[in-house]
Amino acid sequence: MVEATLMAISLMWLPVGLLLLGIGEAKGTGALVIMVGALVLVSAVIEAAVFKDPWIAALLFAYGLFYAIVGYTLFAGLENMKAAGNASLTLIPISIVYVILALTGGPVLEDGKQLIAKSNFLALACAGYTVLYVMVWLNAYGKFSAKTLGVSLIIWTVVGLWVPAFWLLAAGKLPF
């Protein structure tokens, strides 16, 4: 499920990156982002309810809500991206916590079970997402270049979405 969700998110990141580079148009891109946001929210629920993985589900849920507000902002033609920027600001500490827990693993419970396994790649990906969310927040307030953000989104489409999605499909685990 996660693999398909990562690929779907890439269908949004790449067009938004291109839009920020001046290629594309906001309304159609916004509609796409809304659809991806809805899909990510549904995926989060399935990940939690069916696959019993609240760790990944919570991250998908937070990101899916963010995608929905970005999509609405673009689709509605709002004059500024401050609503998306403020949502992005909220995702920064969430992503940082994910980096820390992915690097260290969660606590070991009394029965020896560990709910959150250590994952260096997830830590790297969440660190990259954190940097992107800082860029989005600063861009929304006119403090960061849209073109640099666009290029960063395109790069992280490959590193943070396609690499883990295809690696999970091919090897059944994250790269490292």
Side-chain angles (χ1 to χ4, degrees):
M1 184 76 205
V2 170
E3 301 88 344
T5 304
L6 291 171
M7 286 185 205
I9 294 168
S10 77
L11 291 174
M12 176 209 76
W13 279 23
L14 192 61
V16 170
L18 292 171
L19 180 66
L20 292 168
L21 293 172
I23 304 166
E25 59 84 34
K27 202 163 191 147
T29 302
L32 174 63
V33 176
I34 289 169
M35 287 185 269
V36 169
L39 175 73
V40 171
L41 291 171
V42 169
S43 297
V45 171
I46 292 170
E47 192 68 28
V50 175
F51 296 103
K52 309 290 186 216
D53 186 359
W55 167 245
I56 295 299
L59 188 65
L60 289 174
F61 198 81
Y63 288 0
L65 289 172
F66 172 71
Y67 301 153
I69 190 60
V70 169
Y72 173 77
T73 302
L74 293 171
F75 185 76
L78 299 183
E79 294 198 17
N80 68 56
M81 295 288 288
K82 289 182 180 173
N86 291 340
S88 187
L89 176 62
T90 304
L91 287 171
I92 295 167
I94 291 171
S95 296
I96 290 170
V97 169
Y98 269 78
V99 170
I100 293 166
L101 288 173
L103 282 173
T104 62
V108 178
L109 304 177
E110 289 180 16
D111 63 358
K113 186 176 181 182
Q114 188 177 31
L115 299 177
I116 301 168
K118 184 178 174 185
S119 172
N120 292 330
F121 188 85
L122 183 60
L124 171 70
C126 286
Y129 303 153
T130 301
V131 171
L132 286 174
Y133 290 126
V134 169
M135 291 178 184
V136 170
W137 173 54
L138 292 172
N139 176 263
Y141 283 89
K143 305 291 184 195
F144 193 82
S145 161
K147 289 187 189 262
T148 303
L149 176 55
V151 169
S152 298
L153 278 169
I154 292 168
I155 291 169
W156 273 95
T157 296
V158 175
V159 175
L161 298 172
W162 288 343
V163 167
F166 287 113
W167 207 284
L168 282 166
L169 284 170
K173 60 182 181 139
L174 291 171
F176 54 86

